[in-house]
Amino acid sequence: MTTTVKAYGATSATAPLEPLTIERRDVGPHDVRIDIDYAGICHSDIHTIRGDWGPIQYPQVVGHEIVGRVAEVGSAVTRHRVGDLVGVGCQSNSCRTCAQCEQGNDQYCLNGNTQTYASVDPADGTITQGGYSQAVVTDENYVVAIPEGLDPERTAPLLCAGITLYSPLQHWKAGPGTRVAVVGMGGLGHMGVKIAVALGAEVTVLSRGTKKRDDALGFGAARYVDTTDAAAMRELRDSFDLILNTVSAELDIAAYLRLLDVDGTLVNVGAPTEPFRVPAFSLIPRRRSLAGSTTGSISEIEEMLAFCAEHGIMPETETVAAEGINEAWERVLSADVRYRFVIDTHTL
Ligand code: NAP
Ligand code: ZN
Ligand code: ZN
């Protein structure tokens, strides 16, 4: 037995998203059913549906920045109660037995974790369907409690954009005295700026043109540099300890590696289709590192939510109804989002 819920999704890589109905499994002993209130729009949703990362099965519903209320709990559930405000991010399950899961790094599960959408669900073998929908059924261990006082709508983007920047900023120890640059100021980038500022780092935003300058400084960045200004970019050479690249499109990564000081690290979180070209001498002469990072573990998400609540860090959001999703996607693709769209899923 399953439950049918309304959703908004894609029937092919090229068609606009449209209203669909999808099935949610019955609540098992360790599951919770969440009535979804809000779902953020991440650029990864678009990459996935458009096949940028490889072919997928359709119909497919995306969305991995989910906030809602617990509507039903399974008989063995201990972590959540009916009525609780909760969230689901990018991963909805993992093997729990590999070396990474045992250390709490479920996002790096060596057997491949279960993504909230477009993954095979170990519970029933179906393809997971995401948060652009009325309800979702998720194992309680992959559902996080939302701290008191956080606005549910603006909390949604923390579940992917927030954690994807919080995790590397913590791992590479950004803090007072660290010179951090954030490349690309969209959904992820603007959260990176706010979190790095709250950690006490000296933050520079690298973005195309000057449209986002005032916003960047308003988020607490010490400096804003237009990446199309060659002279200004030259002046930044050898000047950062940590660079976080959030750009969703093809990028001349070597131009950014040269901005790292000795022993600096460029952490790439952007996921474009095209590979980077990394000349040997963009790394060798300064002992620079090029790294990657994916989202964060469930316990890190809980830590990040508490951090954002304590420091009053929230994303800038624009709420859209279901019929506005396709237009919102177009605006994400043209970098015309300030800075994250959130779907009011009651409009489905
Ligand atoms: P977004 O809101 O669209 O932001 C991407 C930013 O990239 C834009 O605001 C723009 O910044 C810059 N950009 C876009 N096209 C560009 C181009 N042609 N050349 C140079 N810069 C360009 O996207 P998002 O949701 O933040 O996601 C960003 C990327 O991270 C996506 O590829 C997404 O799939 C990936 N992602 C990765 C993870 C992970 O775990 N690693 C998690 C979530 C998302 P400016 O206008 O400031 O230049
Ligand atoms: Zn995402
Ligand atoms: Zn595992």
Side-chain angles (χ1 to χ4, degrees):
M1 268 294 289
T2 57
T3 313
T4 303
V5 301
K6 289 184 185 168
Y8 221 78
T11 54
S12 82
T14 50
L17 304 192
E18 59 188 87
L20 299 172
T21 56
I22 54 173
E23 300 300 314
R24 294 301 190 189
R25 68 170 182 266
D26 268 357
V27 171
H30 293 283
D31 287 336
V32 301
R33 183 163 60 81
I34 301 164
D35 282 346
I36 301 174
D37 292 315
Y38 298 103
I41 295 180
C42 177
H43 206 120
S44 299
D45 302 348
I46 305 175
H47 287 308
T48 300
I49 292 294
R50 299 294 173 236
D52 292 351
W53 299 332
I56 62 159
Q57 280 185 35
Y58 300 91
Q60 179 67 56
V61 174
V62 289
H64 55 205
E65 295 183 334
I66 300 172
V67 167
R69 297 259 170 209
V70 175
E72 187 183 344
V73 296
S75 55
V77 167
T78 57
R79 282 169 51 93
H80 307 286
R81 283 175 309 187
V82 170
D84 286 355
L85 189 67
V86 295
V88 176
C90 299
Q91 70 263 33
S92 284
N93 217 327
S94 64
C95 84
R96 308 178 202 201
T97 56
C98 74
Q100 291 303 319
C101 283
E102 283 196 339
Q103 290 174 58
N105 294 327
D106 39 273
Q107 79 277 37
Y108 297 116
C109 174
L110 298 173
N111 294 311
N113 62 21
T114 306
Q115 296 286 295
T116 296
Y117 57 74
S119 237
V120 176
D121 191 339
D124 58 9
T126 61
I127 299 294
T128 54
Q129 303 288 340
Y132 297 10
S133 62
Q134 290 178 315
V136 65
V137 176
T138 306
D139 184 289
E140 63 163 332
N141 293 299
Y142 298 81
V143 174
V144 294
I146 307 292
E148 280 295 318
L150 288 187
D151 171 3
E153 189 174 344
R154 294 178 76 197
T155 299
L158 297 178
L159 277 314
C160 175
I163 188 60
T164 300
L165 277 292
Y166 179 85
S167 181
L169 283 165
Q170 290 289 358
H171 184 81
W172 275 276
K173 301 186 168 51
T178 323
R179 299 159 298 169
V180 174
V182 176
V183 189
M185 200 170 81
L188 267 59
H190 95 294
M191 287 313 303
V193 175
K194 290 187 179 205
I195 294 168
V197 167
L199 288 167
E202 182 192 290
V203 181
T204 300
V205 171
L206 305 177
S207 167
R208 298 163 302 164
T210 53
K211 292 188 302 290
K212 297 177 179 175
R213 185 175 189 281
D214 291 348
D215 288 345
L217 300 178
F219 300 152
R223 183 166 54 175
Y224 177 97
V225 174
D226 172 1
T227 55
T228 66
D229 180 341
M233 287 292 280
R234 221 169 9 251
E235 274 180 31
L236 293 179
R237 286 198 175 181
D238 307 320
S239 68
F240 296 110
D241 304 303
L242 181 64
I243 299 178
L244 296 161
N245 176 42
T246 74
V247 171
S248 52
E250 198 174 351
L251 190 73
D252 175 14
I253 202 78
Y256 295 89
L257 287 167
R258 288 187 203 104
L259 309 186
L260 289 170
D261 202 350
V262 174
D263 286 334
T265 302
L266 188 155
V267 183
N268 180 65
V269 297
T273 319
E274 294 302 318
F276 294 128
R277 266 195 89 247
V278 182
F281 287 96
S282 64
L283 296 171
I284 289 174
R286 300 279 187 279
R287 195 163 59 188
R288 295 168 176 139
S289 303
L290 172 59
S293 182
T294 191
T295 61
S297 68
I298 297 297
S299 60
E300 264 182 313
I301 294 173
E302 291 169 337
E303 181 188 304
M304 176 273 308
L305 290 171
F307 179 88
C308 290
E310 183 191 339
H311 294 269
I313 299 171
M314 293 304 265
E316 306 302 312
T317 56
E318 182 175 336
T319 306
V320 294
E323 61 268 22
I325 296 173
N326 286 304
E327 191 195 330
W329 274 30
E330 289 307 316
R331 285 182 54 198
V332 171
L333 287 168
S334 56
D336 175 28
V337 46
R338 298 289 188 279
Y339 282 87
R340 199 60 146 183
F341 287 111
V342 175
I343 302 163
D344 176 351
T345 51
H346 303 107
T347 61
L348 289 164

